[in-house]
Amino acid sequence: MLLDSPPIKDFATFSNEVVSVVQGLLDALGFHLATPLRAEVSSLVTQGSTLVIRRLTWEDLRQEPNSPPHVDGSTLRPFFHATASNSFTRHALADLRAALEYPDDTAFYAYRAIETVRQSFVRGDNDTDAARRKSWQVLRDALNVDPESLDQARALARSRRHGDGKLSLSEAQRFQVLTLARDVVQSFVSQLSTPDAAATAVQFPGGTQ
């Protein structure tokens, strides 16, 4: 596939934009076939000679960047437990996976992961305005989340949440919102795995589902 573009200043952001176009072409085909098709782009040749390797693993997001692809059992155990017993954890992790997969929608999915965790703090069955404000406050306090960081993530996600397809995120913006969302989910899972989890059930009205 050949694409014309202005001189490339940010190869990482450019590769994300190319992947979005290629995926869009497959989505058009998939629409008519009524089947999901996924693009896997691992490298690009630009300006006739430059080879850009598109990273599938974001090393800087890992706890130990550039280390072997190994995760200790003690690290995985709380995540496995939370995933098996808590629907909010499953949905939040699925959104984080999508945030890594789809560059144009990184902020949308990352912020939705945060909102999923927020839903776990809603008391009762109705997510009313008052209950929503309270749940955000509880999330910020319980997970030690900076309100300004949440506001920035919400601003980055807003256009795609409302269907606007014009905004393209830079690699730095993707990293910013992904880091926040991953920190929120990490803190949430850590709280669920504390020895007195039963006592904190009041803080997690969603319980185990």
Side-chain angles (χ1 to χ4, degrees), residues 8 10-12 14-15 18 41-55:
I8 301 168
D10 182 346
F11 283 107
F14 172 75
S15 67
V18 171
V41 179
S42 59
S43 63
L44 306 171
V45 177
T46 66
Q47 299 173 345
S49 59
T50 304
L51 180 65
V52 179
I53 303 299
R54 185 172 183 268
R55 57 188 177 187

Side-chain angles (χ1 to χ4, degrees), residues 78-79 82 89 93 143 184-194:
F79 277 84
T89 304
L93 289 174
L143 305 184
V184 168
V185 172
Q186 175 77 63
S187 297
F188 179 60
V189 170
S190 296
Q191 287 237 3
L192 287 176
S193 64
T194 55

Side-chain angles (χ1 to χ4, degrees), residues 43-85:
S43 63
L44 306 171
V45 177
T46 66
Q47 299 173 345
S49 59
T50 304
L51 180 65
V52 179
I53 303 299
R54 185 172 183 268
R55 57 188 177 187
L56 303 180
T57 299
W58 202 322
E59 289 292 341
D60 289 342
L61 289 174
R62 300 179 61 198
Q63 291 183 335
E64 298 180 14
N66 301 311
S67 63
H70 168 77
V71 181
D72 188 74
S74 61
T75 300
L76 276 179
R77 192 171 299 113
F79 277 84
F80 281 178
H81 174 75
T83 300
S85 62

Side-chain angles (χ1 to χ4, degrees), residues 145-157:
V145 181
D146 174 44
E148 184 176 347
S149 296
L150 285 174
D151 290 341
Q152 292 172 351
R154 185 181 299 112
L156 289 174

Side-chain angles (χ1 to χ4, degrees), residues 38-187:
R38 181 173 299 175
E40 294 288 348
V41 179
S42 59
S43 63
L44 306 171
V45 177
T46 66
Q47 299 173 345
S49 59
T50 304
L51 180 65
V52 179
I53 303 299
R54 185 172 183 268
R55 57 188 177 187
L56 303 180
T57 299
W58 202 322
E59 289 292 341
D60 289 342
L61 289 174
R62 300 179 61 198
Q63 291 183 335
E64 298 180 14
N66 301 311
S67 63
H70 168 77
V71 181
D72 188 74
S74 61
T75 300
L76 276 179
R77 192 171 299 113
F79 277 84
F80 281 178
H81 174 75
T83 300
S85 62
N86 186 278
S87 62
F88 296 112
T89 304
R90 291 194 296 274
H91 291 308
L93 289 174
D95 280 335
L96 288 179
R97 167 172 47 80
L100 284 170
E101 281 189 293
Y102 304 115
D104 281 352
D105 292 330
T106 292
F108 168 79
Y109 283 113
Y111 189 72
R112 194 169 75 172
I114 298 172
E115 287 188 300
T116 297
V117 173
R118 194 272 305 173
Q119 285 282 354
S120 72
F121 292 101
V122 174
R123 297 180 182 276
D125 296 328
N126 296 319
D127 191 19
T128 61
D129 288 344
R132 187 175 299 113
R133 287 192 297 271
K134 178 63 176 177
S135 64
W136 277 118
Q137 183 62 55
V138 175
L139 178 146
R140 291 192 294 268
D141 293 343
L143 305 184
N144 192 28
V145 181
D146 174 44
E148 184 176 347
S149 296
L150 285 174
D151 290 341
Q152 292 172 351
R154 185 181 299 112
L156 289 174
R158 183 175 295 117
S159 63
R160 288 299 296 129
R161 290 172 68 201
H162 295 285
D164 187 353
K166 300 175 183 176
L167 178 66
S168 178
L169 294 178
S170 69
E171 197 79 343
Q173 289 172 319
R174 293 185 69 220
F175 183 80
Q176 173 189 343
V177 70
L178 271 169
T179 299
L180 174 63
R182 287 169 60 89
D183 287 347
V184 168
V185 172
Q186 175 77 63
S187 297

